[in-house]
Amino acid sequence: MDLLRFITAGSVDDGKSTLIGRLLYDSKSILADQLEALEKQTKNKDAGEIDLALLTDGLRAEREQGITIDVAYRYFSTPKRKFIIADAPGHVQYTRNMITGASNASLIIILVDARNGVAEQTRRHSIIASLLKIPHVVVAINKMDLVEYSQDVYNNIVIDYAEVARQLGLEQVTYIPLSALKGDNIVEKSEAIDWYDGPSLLELLENVETKQDTNFSDARFQVQLVIRPQTDELHDYRGYAGRVTSGVYRKGDAVTILPAGITSTISKLEAGGEERDEVFAPQSVTIHLADDIDISRGDTIVHSSNQPAVQNELDVLLCWMDEKPLQPGNKYYLQHNNRLVKAVVRQVDYRLDVNTLQQLPVEGGVKLNEVVKATIKTASPLAFDAYAKLPSNGSGILIDETSNSTVAAVLYQ
Amino acid sequence: MDQYQLDYLAQLEAESIYILREVAAQFEKPALLFSGGKDSITLVHLARKAFAPGKIPFPLVHIDTGHNFPEALAYRDQLAKDVQATLVVRKVEDTIREKKLTEPKGKFASRNWLQTHTLLDTIEEFGFDACIGGARRDEEKARAKERIFSVRDEFGQWNPKLQRPELWSIYNGRIHKGENVRVFPISNWTELDVWNYIRKEKIELPSIYFAHEREVISFEGQLVAVSDFIRIDEGDVVERKQVRYRTVGDMTCTAAVESAAATLDEVIDEITATRISERGETRIDDRVTEAAMEDRKKNGYF
């Protein structure tokens, strides 16, 4: 059994909450007492069936206003897979939340209202999927019951979206006509949509191939902390603890420690306290080196034959996430996985319209939810890859020095 | 590439170990909040793996309501000895006396809410800047929205509207003096994941998780153990039943489940088949209002 993390993009109006509610309900992940609480709440509203959307509204303010403010995580499993859903709001003022939810997803479900077709927000969600390189895109054409399950409506939306996918370079796109409210093509294949011969949504989620999503060719590892027990029996023990974010490491590999550029050899590998001959992504491991070198948190250990860039000037895309606007010239901390360095945003080149991909001039500061192309200079060099090539070593966050808030997602170009 | 496939439990484990190591690296004085329940036992097991062959680099802290299951306390002491960890115990009883707090009254007067006072005092006493807890997002609606690194102000309060975005596997643990961070390394695990992991790793649990005989009374469909901490009224019928616990907390607000499951396999089979959630079946304190957990968190609770 393996694990699939996915995000659902869409707003309440598209039936996103109903879709998730339906997935949980029809896959029997909702238990009797949770259902009872739901029925109790539904009674106060319109009569009729229970309101599945209520299942996913977490906080009191959200329930009162009938909206989703923040990313919520939901869990369900089938005998084939465990699923983690990042349930993120879809309106433009919540782009920040969507990027947060999308950052760990390997699949995105983009909800399209069959009555409206490809809309502005469909484009925006697709642009975010392409910026963040989410490997799999599922276009869920919802509310088919409201267009009389028309194959023509479906076909036209597929044609329209294919053009969006082409422009954005989205490769693995799957289309499913469904009705979250009626349960058509969610878990069971729909009888009303007999002209569609693809899988139901759950069948697709269970079977989508994820092996290629992890890069096993470019090995990257950052030191989280140095383990030195310094007891009598472990006097000389010195292990570098961290996570293999991509690739494979083997005992005897010739490695280089970055940014210093010192070389050594892997003398021992451990995972969970046990010795291993090889370790691979995404394991948490401990690496030992043949030479006594001064290594600390944030240093990167890579194969000498396959190294990332080491620079202190970076071209980046910034997704701004703070109420306080970005002022070019301001100093921040840049956290690149386990490495924290001081950084200054030197120059902001242009703003990317997340609805159209147009490059627009930046006037004044960069505001919440805006995506810009910028140049960052760091106080010491960073060992990084381009996000497009290796997201796990191509991303960082900016932290405000004074408020300590996370103010931006950083994607290295 | 089949050889490089991690099953879901191994993936969850790798993520949790990564988070625990981030805590050790980013904070000066972390602590692991240990309740004696299966989730915190799992955390200790993960921490052992994260820092092996070294010791766990932070103390285990137990906020003791005084209403514990004796089996859980015995287990706690033995575990701390086995992993050679420092055990810090602070009693709610003492806080009540020193601060002249009013104890809730009633049939199942629970000190669960008062725990927060003792917890905040303990954080201040030791200067803990990070407290690791075993909460999971599948437990409850408010938890589903909380970050893995959850920043609390100097009153321990959670502000759901001011949460930091948490991107990729990058955890921002920077805080101001006086603030602290609650860290939830098993956020992405479900109840069943924890049980399956316990089976896979052969983790030992306190005996009360398995079927045993116990005197209980039935209250609104839930079985509550007879102890000195609850009030037996005239109408109550004390019965001897075969039960097990699905969660282990305060004796006054944790209900038992009627069961004959005596082994881990049998317990997992029963939990897989059950149609009632963990909190719904066993927690009396969450049933008060729809937003009970959200309110407690805003006041400094876990």
Side-chain angles (χ1 to χ4, degrees):
Chain A
M1 188 156 128
D2 64 354
L3 181 63
L4 180 75
R5 294 171 198 252
F6 68 93
I7 176 171
T8 47
S11 62
V12 178
D13 323 323
D14 304 319
K16 178 185 59 112
S17 299
T18 310
L19 178 86
I20 295 173
R22 177 61 71 182
L23 264 180
L24 300 176
Y25 184 75
D26 286 0
S27 65
K28 305 200 164 38
S29 312
I30 295 167
L31 300 171
D33 59 310
Q34 294 166 328
L35 209 57
E36 196 184 303
L38 205 64
E39 278 164 358
K40 226 186 274 172
Q41 284 173 281
T42 309
K43 263 179 212 154
N44 309 329
K45 309 206 168 178
D46 301 335
E49 291 180 52
I50 51 160
D51 186 353
L52 289 172
L54 284 173
L55 265 177
T56 60
D57 300 332
L59 305 170
R60 199 195 316 247
E62 295 175 316
R63 284 196 296 277
E64 283 163 4
Q65 296 166 39
I67 52 159
T68 321
I69 297 170
D70 210 323
V71 191
Y73 295 89
R74 320 267 165 214
Y75 304 83
F76 73 102
S77 42
T78 66
K80 283 193 173 170
R81 265 196 177 143
K82 173 184 164 88
F83 297 97
I84 302 181
I85 315 176
D87 175 10
H91 290 297
V92 68
Q93 66 266 38
Y94 299 122
T95 299
R96 151 175 82 165
N97 303 84
M98 205 192 135
I99 289 173
T100 303
S103 71
N104 283 313
S106 43
L107 180 145
I108 182 169
I109 298 177
I110 295 177
L111 271 156
V112 176
D113 187 327
R115 296 170 302 173
N116 304 335
V118 174
E120 183 180 89
Q121 75 161 6
T122 315
R123 267 174 220 286
R124 181 170 68 249
H125 298 158
S126 306
I127 285 170
I128 290 171
S130 82
L131 286 177
L132 289 171
K133 302 282 166 218
I134 301 178
H136 311 274
V137 176
V138 177
V139 181
I141 299 164
N142 191 22
K143 306 197 182 179
M144 287 301 293
D145 54 315
L146 299 181
V147 295
E148 286 149 9
Y149 299 104
S150 155
Q151 189 174 7
D152 286 344
V153 170
Y154 170 79
N155 284 341
N156 286 333
I157 293 173
V158 171
I159 290 166
D160 286 352
Y161 192 85
E163 179 55 21
V164 175
R166 194 192 58 77
Q167 285 168 4
L168 296 175
L170 298 173
E171 281 158 17
Q172 306 205 37
V173 183
T174 315
Y175 303 89
I176 302 183
L178 50 84
S179 165
L181 192 68
K182 305 283 181 198
D184 290 302
N185 280 342
I186 305 292
V187 171
E188 304 291 341
K189 287 289 293 290
S190 164
E191 283 171 25
I193 312 178
D194 53 0
W195 44 264
Y196 166 78
D197 55 11
S200 73
L201 181 60
L202 186 64
E203 280 167 13
L204 178 82
L205 293 172
E206 280 186 317
N207 294 305
V208 65
E209 189 63 67
T210 56
K211 272 179 221 156
Q212 278 79 40
D213 299 349
T214 309
N215 174 326
F216 289 110
S217 357
D218 306 294
R220 300 289 182 261
F221 172 95
Q222 251 190 36
V223 177
Q224 279 187 279
L225 78 163
V226 184
I227 296 182
R228 290 185 63 196
Q230 290 177 308
T231 54
D232 287 344
E233 64 270 36
L234 295 166
H235 189 72
D236 296 320
Y237 186 100
R238 187 185 177 90
Y240 304 105
R243 196 167 189 184
V244 182
T245 54
S246 56
V248 182
Y249 289 87
R250 292 184 188 86
K251 199 172 157 178
D253 283 352
V255 292
T256 299
I257 291 85
L258 299 172
I262 307 162
T263 56
S264 187
T265 309
I266 294 178
S267 59
K268 187 165 121 179
L269 290 166
E270 289 171 286
E274 286 166 30
E275 227 176 302
R276 302 286 164 91
D277 288 331
E278 65 175 8
V279 294
F280 54 92
Q283 285 181 309
S284 282
V285 305
T286 306
I287 293 182
H288 297 252
L289 298 178
D291 308 278
D292 209 359
I293 309 166
D294 180 24
I295 295 181
S296 49
R297 174 171 165 84
D299 287 345
T300 301
I301 301 178
V302 296
H303 289 140
S304 300
S305 56
N306 180 336
Q307 300 191 23
V310 180
Q311 283 167 221
N312 64 356
E313 276 206 35
L314 301 93
D315 284 333
V316 300
L317 274 188
L318 290 182
C319 311
W320 199 253
M321 303 194 153
D322 202 41
E323 303 280 350
K324 203 163 75 179
L326 159 74
Q327 299 294 343
N330 271 15
K331 289 192 187 64
Y332 297 92
Y333 282 109
L334 173 65
Q335 188 173 341
H336 172 55
N337 294 333
N338 318 113
R339 186 173 175 83
L340 189 74
V341 295
K342 286 219 175 193
V344 58
V345 180
R346 280 211 147 161
Q347 193 189 320
V348 179
D349 300 325
Y350 57 82
R351 178 165 76 82
L352 205 59
D353 186 319
V354 289
N355 293 320
T356 62
L357 270 191
Q358 258 188 306
Q359 298 178 4
L360 304 169
V362 178
E363 287 144 19
V366 176
K367 292 183 276 301
L368 178 65
N369 293 317
E370 290 185 345
V371 176
V372 297
K373 162 82 178 16
T375 316
I376 286 182
K377 185 162 194 225
T378 56
S380 56
L382 233 53
F384 68 96
D385 292 276
Y387 186 86
K389 180 193 165 198
L390 203 51
S392 55
N393 194 44
S395 47
I397 58 171
L398 286 186
I399 301 170
D400 186 302
E401 270 189 318
T402 53
S403 71
N404 291 329
S405 305
T406 301
V407 294
V410 187
L411 285 72
Y412 312 136
Q413 299 293 287
Chain B
M1 285 287 188
D2 270 1
Q3 66 202 84
Y4 299 133
Q5 193 84 332
L6 284 186
D7 91 317
Y8 79 107
L9 283 176
Q11 286 191 49
L12 291 174
E13 180 192 64
E15 177 181 84
S16 301
I17 288 177
Y18 177 83
I19 295 162
L20 284 163
R21 286 170 166 179
E22 279 304 280
V23 177
Q26 290 196 32
F27 296 94
E28 307 252 324
K29 257 202 129 178
L32 190 150
L33 291 199
F34 186 79
S35 71
K38 65 176 189 319
D39 297 322
S40 57
I41 291 168
T42 299
L43 272 186
V44 172
H45 183 84
L46 289 163
R48 233 170 149 172
K49 283 193 159 190
F51 305 105
K55 285 187 226 166
I56 299 174
F58 32 73
L60 309 184
V61 173
H62 184 216
I63 304 301
D64 182 350
T65 60
H67 293 170
N68 296 291
F69 292 93
E71 296 89 337
L73 290 185
Y75 181 95
R76 173 197 78 187
D77 295 341
Q78 188 57 46
L79 182 69
K81 221 196 247 165
D82 290 347
V83 303
Q84 301 180 324
T86 316
L87 178 67
V88 173
V89 180
R90 287 294 175 270
K91 293 184 178 344
V92 175
E93 185 84 51
D94 296 335
T95 317
I96 293 172
R97 207 182 44 245
E98 283 159 25
K99 299 202 155 169
K100 305 208 168 19
L101 302 178
T102 310
E103 271 214 73
K105 296 203 171 55
K107 192 171 181 62
F108 306 115
S110 166
R111 288 174 169 171
N112 201 314
W113 181 270
L114 294 178
Q115 253 183 301
T116 304
H117 291 268
T118 315
L119 172 62
L120 297 180
D121 288 350
T122 311
I123 288 172
E124 201 175 305
E125 179 188 347
F126 291 90
F128 292 133
D129 50 3
C131 293
I132 303 160
R136 309 185 319 263
R137 284 175 177 151
D138 78 322
E139 280 179 81
E140 204 276 331
K141 280 177 159 193
R143 294 207 165 161
K145 304 231 157 176
E146 193 166 10
R147 304 289 185 258
I148 289 173
F149 271 41
S150 179
V151 180
R152 302 298 182 91
D153 66 14
E154 53 192 314
F155 302 102
Q157 298 179 105
W158 179 52
N159 186 341
K161 287 187 183 153
L162 275 182
Q163 299 201 86
R164 293 175 181 172
E166 207 156 71
L167 297 135
W168 298 288
S169 304
I170 306 178
Y171 299 102
N172 171 7
R174 294 186 64 81
I175 48 171
H176 293 110
K177 210 174 155 52
E179 292 175 338
N180 66 84
V181 176
R182 306 288 170 85
V183 182
F184 305 113
I186 58 167
S187 285
N188 286 327
W189 300 45
T190 62
E191 182 193 15
L192 208 53
D193 295 338
V194 172
W195 282 106
N196 282 324
Y197 185 73
I198 287 169
R199 174 159 63 183
K200 181 184 168 197
E201 297 286 306
K202 301 187 175 69
I203 301 171
E204 218 173 289
L205 291 181
S207 55
I208 51 175
Y209 278 108
F210 304 99
H212 58 282
E213 279 206 1
R214 187 178 284 271
E215 285 195 330
V216 292
I217 59 168
S218 175
F219 180 76
E220 290 181 2
Q222 296 195 309
L223 300 177
V224 185
V226 172
S227 69
D228 296 343
F229 316 125
I230 66 162
R231 196 180 72 214
I232 309 285
D233 295 322
E234 245 174 63
D236 288 329
V237 182
V238 176
E239 292 174 281
R240 222 175 152 71
K241 287 201 165 169
Q242 201 175 30
V243 297
R244 65 175 168 79
Y245 282 88
R246 196 166 158 192
T247 65
V248 168
D250 200 296
M251 278 189 95
T252 59
C253 62
T254 312
V257 188
E258 208 166 345
S259 165
T263 66
L264 203 48
D265 286 339
E266 287 167 0
V267 170
I268 292 176
D269 283 347
E270 277 193 10
I271 289 170
T272 311
T274 185
R275 301 301 304 146
I276 303 177
S277 79
E278 186 178 9
R279 284 203 161 254
E281 187 167 54
T282 64
R283 289 302 174 101
I284 298 166
D285 48 329
D286 276 351
R287 308 214 298 178
V288 187
T289 71
E290 174 65 22
M293 175 66 82
E294 187 179 341
D295 292 340
R296 274 186 289 164
K297 275 184 176 292
K298 283 180 181 165
N299 279 295
Y301 188 75
F302 246 83

